[in-house]
Amino acid sequence: MGVSISTARWLAPTSFLIDFAAQQYGMLSSPNMMDVHKANLSFFSPQPYFIAGFFFPQQLFQLAWLYRLWKLDEKDPKQRRELEQQVDFVPIYALGNICIASWMVFWNSSNLKAAHVFVTINSLSQLWYITTKLGKMDTSSTSSMLTHIVSKTFAGIGVLDLLHNGSVAFFKDQPATTLVKVLTGVGFGMASAASDWIFGGCLVYDLVALSVGQSGGWRNLLAAYAAGSAAIVGAKNWARPPYVNGKEGYVKADDEDIDFVEAGLDESRRY
């Protein structure tokens, strides 16, 4: 599924522009995406402004990531290693942008079941990438950090998209059942326990967005889930820091080991 550097350099920005154009269509058309949202509510409907508040900074990170994709010199060995980390993500990145753009077209036409197909493809592909293909983030590498931020925020908001679109497509105007409440708590709890700061932070954000978009006891329960998720993510990543630093990739020898080596060298000089 990999692509060449030259292909990645036109595929990634093209998919970004397609998605950006679709977002403008979603906001400026009539009915627009907000109109469709208000007409289709369910137990996983978030406060819509939280989604807009998420995408604006996320797109800035995308632009920084795209800039490095073009800027880095593939002929320089060090920069090529940086570049390869980004190129590896490009196919999933482009797929995500195309899926989100397609979702927008069906969402604005109120064809929510068709829209859910594209949400599912995007969300599952992003989750697959960050759980099976993405290595640990190297804090000494700008490309590594940006790739982690872009991919994990895509996956993080993808979780919210999947829950939101699925609920309004198949359970419009329905309240959360006991089973839904239990599965939500268990699912987010388990995901939080397996997440780093970035994806874990997105999960907390998703729960806050859902909480603000709901009412009554379900709203309070979602807020409690958000607090619990934040505690789990914080404790897990404090106890086991999830990132590495490539510039610190050495192990300091103990004084006894150094004395042993020096003694061996002195012994060898006698011959």
Side-chain angles (χ1 to χ4, degrees):
M1 195 175 179
V3 297
S4 66
I5 293 175
S6 59
T7 299
R9 280 177 165 161
W10 68 258
L11 179 61
T14 300
S15 69
F16 174 85
L17 291 174
I18 291 172
D19 181 36
F20 184 79
Q23 301 306 314
Q24 305 315 301
Y25 160 75
M27 291 186 290
L28 301 176
S29 62
S30 182
N32 59 33
M33 57 192 302
M34 179 67 80
D35 296 330
V36 177
H37 171 84
K38 291 178 179 178
N40 298 274
L41 299 175
S42 189
F43 52 80
F44 278 140
S45 293
Q47 213 296 329
Y49 290 111
F50 272 77
I51 298 177
F54 185 95
F55 271 112
F56 176 70
Q58 204 260 357
Q59 287 189 326
L60 295 180
F61 281 112
Q62 287 188 57
L63 289 172
W65 182 81
L66 290 168
Y67 172 73
R68 284 189 66 81
L69 185 64
W70 273 93
K71 177 189 175 186
L72 293 175
D73 183 3
E74 61 185 290
K75 296 179 181 178
D76 182 286
K78 181 180 179 181
Q79 292 189 37
R80 186 180 180 89
R81 287 194 296 273
E82 292 256 317
L83 193 54
E84 288 171 347
Q85 298 179 65
Q86 297 186 239
V87 171
D88 184 64
F89 176 54
V90 166
I92 299 299
Y93 173 80
L95 175 64
N97 278 326
I98 297 301
C99 284
I100 295 170
S102 302
W103 165 83
M104 181 61 71
V105 173
F106 287 104
W107 176 268
N108 271 33
S109 63
S110 295
N111 191 343
L112 305 183
K113 290 183 173 61
H116 194 62
V117 172
F118 294 98
V119 167
T120 302
I121 294 171
N122 172 58
S123 300
L124 295 183
S125 63
Q126 303 299 329
L127 289 169
W128 171 79
Y129 183 83
I130 69 168
T131 56
T132 66
K133 297 277 288 178
L134 193 62
K136 285 191 174 184
M137 187 173 84
D138 181 356
T139 56
S140 69
S141 165
T142 303
S143 289
S144 177
M145 289 192 293
L146 284 173
T147 300
H148 273 256
I149 292 170
V150 173
S151 63
K152 289 175 179 176
T153 51
F154 253 116
I157 201 65
V159 171
L160 181 59
D161 290 340
L162 189 64
L163 295 175
H164 176 205
N165 202 108
S167 68
V168 297
F170 302 103
F171 306 99
K172 181 183 174 183
D173 298 325
Q174 294 187 29
T177 63
T178 300
L179 180 61
V180 168
K181 294 175 181 178
V182 171
L183 291 178
T184 301
V186 172
F188 272 93
M190 293 177 63
S192 298
S195 301
D196 71 337
W197 293 110
I198 302 170
F199 185 65
C202 290
L203 294 177
V204 175
Y205 190 91
D206 292 348
L207 286 167
V208 172
L210 289 170
S211 174
V212 177
Q214 296 296 311
S215 60
W218 179 223
R219 175 178 186 164
N220 295 334
L221 185 58
L222 286 167
Y225 286 161
S229 180
I232 293 171
V233 171
K236 183 258 184 182
N237 288 284
W238 178 80
R240 297 181 62 186
Y243 310 132
V244 297
N245 189 317
K247 292 182 179 179
E248 298 175 357
Y250 64 91
V251 178
K252 183 179 179 180
D254 293 335
D255 291 340
E256 292 182 1
D257 295 333
I258 295 172
D259 292 342
F260 178 80
V261 172
E262 290 177 344
L265 289 174
D266 290 340
E267 187 69 24
S268 65
R269 293 191 185 105
R270 296 179 183 178
Y271 301 96

